[in-house]
Amino acid sequence: MLQIRENISLKNFNTFGVEAYARFFVEINHEEELTELFLDPKWLQIPRLVLGGGSNMLFTQDFDGLVIRMNIRGIEHRISHEEVYVEAGAGESWKELVDYCVNHGFAGMENLSLIPGSVGASPVQNIGAYGVELQDVFESCQAFEIASQHKKTFVKEACGFDYRESIFKTELKNQFIITSVKFKLSLQPQINIKYGAIEAELQNRGIEKPSILDVSKVVSDIRVSKLPDPSTIGNAGSFFQNPIVTKAEFDNLKDTFPTIVNYPADNDKVKLAAGWLIEQCGWKGKTIGRTGTWKNQALVLVNHGNASGAEIYALSSQIIDSVYQKFGVKLQREVNIY
Ligand code: FAD
Ligand code: NAP
């Protein structure tokens, strides 16, 4: 029987650890409960918010609607020759799914180790790290369409994946609830260690032929050394997206800022490191009231204790303004604001 609770604090349901109240709150443990929920037309008429681990969210006010917390669990796999199909419930922890795959020798997700959040949210922003994106291992997902109350399968081509983007964030925003995701992995690892400090760290450890377990451990250790742990310092990872600019825009910037950090992007464009831009404006490690930026990565905004979502949002606006003034580049927030 579904339990719909009222006036629930979301403080423990978002990794920024900010206080906000949900007018209504329901936890979904089985797919059928979504059908049961929407039998009552009341829930079609008020604002709704689907919540996973709350690690990519900033609540700036109370949510005057229904929060639907996804808690559908379960991981299954099927081996077919050298390929492995792994399917996981939306409420599974992403970290635990990656650990499951790495421990079984299923290759492809190891660079995505230790990303917080749920499996169901992973397609929403096509999560990525260390040169691998969700779309590299994504096969399909099952989603519940709120308006029709029908289940739909989305194959990769239908998801509109792009850099930290998908159709679930754009055209279909708030229309579908992802209930499970299927991944295609391999029994033949194709190790990808060219990104960031992975290769150097493997060398430090004297590992010449790394296994996927080695890569996963190194990625996890680098992440722990660089990023604040949300259980002690509230944060939602990178607050802004890395801006993608045209080659002409980049050439202009490079004339004025010869050391500007950049990487090639699709369609002959150039990706700028948002963290570097913010750092150049003097924000790295700064504390402003109860908020600030992280000492090891200026792209991460932090809650130093009891900050409100509005305070963190205000800091993000100040950062956007100063980066725009110095570089003429408008940062976009990656974190979802409510
Ligand atoms: P939530 O924050 O709960 O939700 C995010 C969005 O997805 C919301 O719009 C929500 O409505 C929607 N949503 C959630 N579940 C569903 C569902 N089942 N169906 C439909 N919509 C849904 N991200 C990266 O890409 N790469 C990283 O390396 C990375 N590192 C991070 C490090 C730290 C320390 C932190 C705190 C965050 C990091 N993130 C990273 C961001 C975050 O972990 C990911 O975006 C993650 O996928 C969010 O999952 P979640 O379950 O917490 O989603
Ligand atoms: P980093 O290694 O200091 O690099 C800074 C930025 O430069 C990253 O954002 C990354 O872009 C880009 N970059 C670095 N090496 C690159 C290469 N070889 N090719 C293309 N782009 C390169 O970054 P970090 O902060 O420690 O994060 C490491 C990885 O974890 C990154 O992939 C980052 O996206 C991911 N991460 C994401 C979040 C989040 O919340 N979204 C939080 C923490 C870490 P990309 O971001 O495009 O990779």
Side-chain angles (χ1 to χ4, degrees), residues 125 128-131 163-164 194-196 223 226-227 236-238 242 261 263 271 273 297 299 334:
Q125 75 154 5
Y130 295 96
Y163 184 60
R164 305 290 190 268
K194 289 287 166 218
Y195 205 96
R223 292 183 68 101
K226 218 170 162 184
L227 294 167
S238 307
N242 287 327
V261 177
Y263 298 92
K271 178 176 76 177
Q297 173 51 290
L299 191 50
E334 180 176 297

Side-chain angles (χ1 to χ4, degrees), residues 38-330:
F38 288 105
L39 282 178
D40 184 345
K42 171 180 176 182
W43 307 121
L44 291 170
Q45 286 148 16
I46 63 167
R48 293 167 305 268
L49 165 61
V50 183
L51 182 65
S55 63
N56 202 19
M57 296 215 170
L58 179 65
F59 292 110
T60 57
Q61 54 190 328
D62 292 340
F63 188 75
D64 190 17
L66 174 66
V67 169
I68 303 171
R69 173 103 202 292
M70 294 305 285
N71 198 27
I72 301 174
R73 310 305 284 251
I75 305 179
E76 289 174 359
H77 71 260
R78 178 173 63 81
I79 296 179
S80 167
H81 307 287
E82 293 302 320
E83 285 159 359
V84 191
Y85 294 90
V86 180
E87 187 158 13
E92 279 294 338
S93 136
W94 176 263
K95 178 201 173 295
E96 279 162 31
L97 173 69
V98 175
D99 290 350
Y100 174 97
C101 293
V102 168
N103 292 331
H104 280 80
F106 305 157
M109 283 181 178
E110 50 283 357
N111 292 40
L112 301 176
S113 294
L114 212 65
I115 297 180
S118 63
V119 166
S122 64
V124 176
Q125 75 154 5
N126 180 25
I127 56 169
Y130 295 96
V132 173
E133 290 182 318
L134 176 96
Q135 64 171 331
D136 301 327
V137 290
F138 180 93
E139 176 72 7
S140 63
C141 67
Q142 299 280 335
F144 176 90
E145 186 175 24
I146 296 171
S148 69
Q149 286 148 57
H150 284 136
K151 211 165 95 171
K152 191 174 164 186
T153 301
F154 286 85
V155 295
K156 193 195 301 194
E157 295 69 29
C159 292
F161 287 130
D162 204 340
Y163 184 60
R164 305 290 190 268
E165 280 290 353
S166 80
I167 198 162
F168 303 109
K169 250 181 103 171
T170 51
E171 283 150 70
L172 300 184
K173 191 172 167 68
N174 294 332
Q175 293 181 39
F176 283 85
I177 302 175
I178 297 169
T179 52
S180 66
V181 186
K182 193 192 251 187
F183 305 89
K184 186 177 172 184
L185 302 174
S186 172
L187 294 176
Q188 296 292 333
Q190 298 218 322
I191 300 286
N192 172 357
I193 55 172
K194 289 287 166 218
Y195 205 96
I198 306 179
E199 198 164 28
E201 189 52 36
L202 284 164
Q203 271 170 14
N204 274 347
R205 298 179 188 196
I207 300 169
E208 279 174 15
K209 286 195 175 159
S211 64
I212 56 171
L213 184 58
D214 293 323
V215 175
S216 174
K217 277 187 179 157
V218 162
V219 167
S220 301
D221 291 349
I222 297 171
R223 292 183 68 101
V224 167
S225 72
K226 218 170 162 184
L227 294 167
D229 175 358
S231 66
T232 51
I233 298 188
N235 76 92
S238 307
F239 200 90
F240 304 99
Q241 287 187 356
N242 287 327
I244 311 274
V245 298
T246 63
K247 182 81 175 55
E249 286 166 332
F250 173 71
D251 289 341
N252 275 337
L253 281 164
K254 179 103 180 140
D255 283 345
T256 322
F257 307 99
T259 57
I260 189 164
V261 177
N262 68 96
Y263 298 92
D266 289 345
N267 304 321
D268 212 21
K269 292 193 169 173
V270 181
K271 178 176 76 177
L272 307 176
W276 186 87
L277 299 173
I278 298 167
E279 192 177 337
Q280 296 305 303
C281 295
W283 288 104
K284 190 174 180 182
K286 249 193 174 175
T287 299
I288 290 93
R290 301 182 288 186
T291 70
T293 62
W294 186 234
K295 58 183 184 327
N296 297 334
Q297 173 51 290
L299 191 50
V300 177
L301 269 52
V302 293
N303 177 359
H304 283 301
N306 296 320
S308 68
E311 285 167 32
I312 295 167
Y313 186 82
L315 171 62
S316 74
S317 299
Q318 275 184 274
I319 291 175
I320 291 173
D321 288 348
S322 68
V323 168
Y324 188 71
Q325 272 172 24
K326 187 171 174 98
F327 296 101
V329 173
K330 186 98 195 269

